[in-house]
Amino acid sequence: MPDVTPTPQGHDAHQSVSRSFLSLGAGEAAARLFAFAVTAYATRVLGAEGFGVVAFATAAVLYLSRIVDAGIDFGLGVHEVAANPERLPVTVPSILTLRLSLAIACIGLFGMGAWAVLPSPEGGMVALYSLTLIPLALGTRWVLIGYQRAAPVAVVRAAGELLALVIVLLTVHGVADAHRMPLAQLAGDTLACVGFAWLLRTVGLRFGMGWAGSEVRRLLRRALPLVGSTVLGLVVFNVDVFFIRLYHNAELVGLYAAAYTAISFILNLGVTYSMSLLPSLTRLASAPERERALYLASYGKVFALALPIAAGGSALARPLMVTMFGAPFASAGPVLAVLLGSMVVSVVRDVSVVALMARRREDLLLHTVWVSAAASVVLNILLVPSLGMMGAALATVLTEGVRGVLAVTFARRLGFPLPPMVRAWRPVVASLAMVAVLSVLPTSSPWLAVPAGGAAYALALALVGGLRVGRGHGVQLVV
């Protein structure tokens, strides 16, 4: 078995995280772009109501996926690889068998149950999407990320989403073809699952199925709070979809889901950065000063990248929705502007979440998320009936604020410092300059405004010292 990457020292920790994120981020960006293309195409051929049915089903199956994942892809598996590589011959087969058992149970109980209980077409769509739990269960992407083999993981991930896109483009041409959407996703996820297994063999890692009771019990003790926190995190993420459907209709679900899709690309990149950060932060536990330095630097970089996206996206919200999804989705523009605010809070908060995971405090994660989930339900009950999808968006922003405060507070208790506000001034000034440029442009076309806004932000950030070009170091983000 190959040696795990040695403990990064000082500047090397930043470089290790950056290399891993750039590799994973490139693949994740490509994968999310392909997935976004599926959504953009589906909104046009299915309409808001048809897309609302698909969005409802995917939201429901997400809960099952968190159960089947058992916390592995959301941090536990990466941490195990980084901290205990010698246990992998026992750990990996046990995890694969456990997750496959959970997948079969969820498909039988919940997937087929939805087919029998829910009205058509939502019930059948949930049942079909539940089949994607099988490749999720057998996936070994987390092992490769733990070994920081980011580049090949990125390629395989993107290939799976590309296959799903091709199948959708070739087979889905109207509402009558909506059932082919989950089948396309199943094909893409299966390709990725097989690709990850092949990559493991190329680096000398060979795992089959197996079951070690003591190992499963050890992992479950850590996994249960993490699973609880990820499932409750979904309440924060998408309970608004169910409330909109309950109080309104599938068309409004489709409009809201399209707006949320527009920010999910950034949210997924935030998660990718977090998973890139986790191995390095875990290995720096014995070097507190370097650990804290990496933690603070990560906060600054994430904020500097998320804030201009939110500011520029809010300024261009309506034309962005029309360009991405078509004129019928223009009314969701104001919702997108509000949701972009929640995106900034979410991706910044994830740095503190990773800090808790690096210290193996999944119990604090669970506490953070159940409080946030309760807040989300209450806020949606109060706001969605009267304000519709705008109420759901406002509830999301407020809930992410609660979640962020709790995560930062718990991280501070474990010795991670509060991110200094002084780090924020350069990105804030540069974002204001970018918004000013966007406001005077003669066109609001995203094809011109987005690159112009990005250039304005980069120039303004460089002028205030946030971007520096050093000989031998290239362009550096200094926040």
Side-chain angles (χ1 to χ4, degrees):
M1 180 172 293
D3 292 334
V4 74
T5 305
T7 302
Q9 302 291 326
H11 179 67
D12 291 340
H14 298 273
Q15 297 285 21
S16 177
V17 173
S18 296
R19 285 193 300 269
S20 181
F21 172 64
L22 287 174
S23 297
L24 274 176
E28 184 65 23
R32 296 314 303 175
L33 282 173
F34 294 143
F36 178 79
V38 169
T39 298
Y41 178 77
T43 58
R44 285 172 165 79
V45 299
L46 301 180
E49 184 173 355
F51 180 68
V53 172
V54 172
F56 178 90
T58 54
V61 172
L62 269 178
Y63 287 89
L64 302 181
S65 73
R66 296 301 188 264
I67 296 172
V68 171
D69 174 66
I72 301 303
D73 278 302
F74 282 82
L76 179 56
V78 176
H79 186 278
E80 283 294 315
V81 175
N84 304 301
E86 71 284 350
R87 302 177 69 102
L88 292 187
V90 176
T91 300
V92 176
S94 298
I95 287 174
L96 295 180
T97 304
L98 172 65
R99 296 210 303 182
L100 181 60
S101 301
L102 291 171
I104 293 172
C106 284
I107 292 171
L109 292 175
F110 300 105
M112 298 303 104
W115 199 346
V117 173
L118 292 179
S120 180
E122 282 92 342
M125 194 66 69
V126 170
L128 288 174
Y129 267 110
S130 71
L131 297 177
T132 62
L133 298 174
I134 297 294
L136 167 65
L138 296 175
T140 49
R141 174 175 176 262
W142 53 277
V143 182
L144 294 159
I145 293 177
Y147 271 99
Q148 296 186 312
R149 312 288 185 182
V153 168
V155 173
V156 170
R157 169 97 166 88
E161 293 294 345
L162 176 59
L163 176 61
L165 170 61
V166 170
I167 293 174
V168 168
L169 292 176
L170 292 176
T171 64
V172 179
H173 306 296
V175 175
D177 301 323
H179 65 282
R180 294 172 180 166
M181 296 280 294
L183 298 179
Q185 192 62 54
L186 175 62
D189 291 350
T190 300
L191 175 64
C193 178
V194 172
F196 295 142
W198 178 79
L199 286 175
L200 284 177
R201 291 179 175 271
T202 65
V203 296
L205 299 172
R206 296 173 180 269
F207 302 109
M209 306 299 287
W211 186 272
S214 60
E215 186 71 2
V216 171
R217 288 190 294 272
R218 180 184 73 86
L219 290 168
L220 282 177
R221 282 193 292 270
R222 293 190 61 199
L224 287 175
L226 189 55
V227 170
S229 66
T230 56
V231 170
L232 289 172
L234 279 180
V235 174
V236 178
F237 175 69
N238 69 12
V239 73
D240 39 18
V241 168
F242 302 109
F243 277 104
I244 293 172
R245 183 66 182 89
L246 176 64
Y247 289 110
H248 299 280
N249 53 49
E251 181 180 1
L252 212 62
V253 170
L255 292 170
Y256 183 79
Y260 216 117
T261 299
I263 71 163
S264 65
F265 176 82
I266 309 301
L267 292 174
N268 278 280
L269 285 183
V271 172
T272 300
Y273 180 83
S274 299
M275 292 302 100
S276 303
L277 175 63
L278 181 57
S280 293
L281 209 58
T282 297
R283 296 181 184 119
L284 286 176
S286 59
E289 291 185 6
R290 291 194 293 271
E291 179 190 55
R292 286 192 291 270
L294 179 60
Y295 175 77
L296 291 177
S298 299
Y299 250 107
K301 290 177 180 179
V302 168
F303 181 75
L305 294 173
L307 182 64
I309 295 173
S314 297
L316 300 170
R318 191 176 294 272
L320 279 171
M321 290 300 297
V322 172
T323 299
M324 292 185 292
F325 306 113
F329 290 81
S331 59
V335 172
L336 172 61
V338 174
L339 288 174
L340 282 166
S342 74
M343 177 273 296
V344 177
V345 180
S346 179
V347 298
V348 170
R349 178 253 304 148
D350 277 345
V351 176
S352 290
V353 168
V354 169
L356 298 180
M357 294 174 65
R359 295 289 183 85
R360 302 182 63 173
R361 293 306 303 270
E362 289 84 4
D363 58 322
L364 295 179
L365 283 180
L366 180 58
H367 184 79
T368 298
V369 181
W370 78 254
V371 172
S372 303
S376 179
V377 171
V378 171
L379 288 166
N380 274 281
I381 290 174
L382 293 175
L383 298 174
V384 170
S386 58
L387 298 178
M389 57 182 179
M390 181 56 74
L394 292 171
T396 298
V397 173
L398 294 172
T399 302
E400 287 294 351
V402 171
R403 195 175 179 187
V405 169
L406 289 172
V408 171
T409 301
F410 285 136
R412 187 185 183 192
R413 290 184 187 177
L414 297 180
F416 293 93
L418 286 174
M421 295 301 295
V422 69
R423 285 180 177 265
W425 77 268
R426 290 187 178 93
V428 169
V429 170
S431 294
L432 290 173
M434 175 192 66
V435 172
V437 169
L438 291 175
S439 67
V440 299
L441 281 179
T443 176
S444 61
S445 169
W447 299 110
L448 297 176
V450 169
Y457 177 76
L459 177 60
L461 192 60
L463 291 175
V464 297
L467 275 180
R468 298 177 186 172
V469 180
R471 182 174 298 176
H473 297 290
V475 179
Q476 292 182 305
L477 184 60
V478 183
V479 289

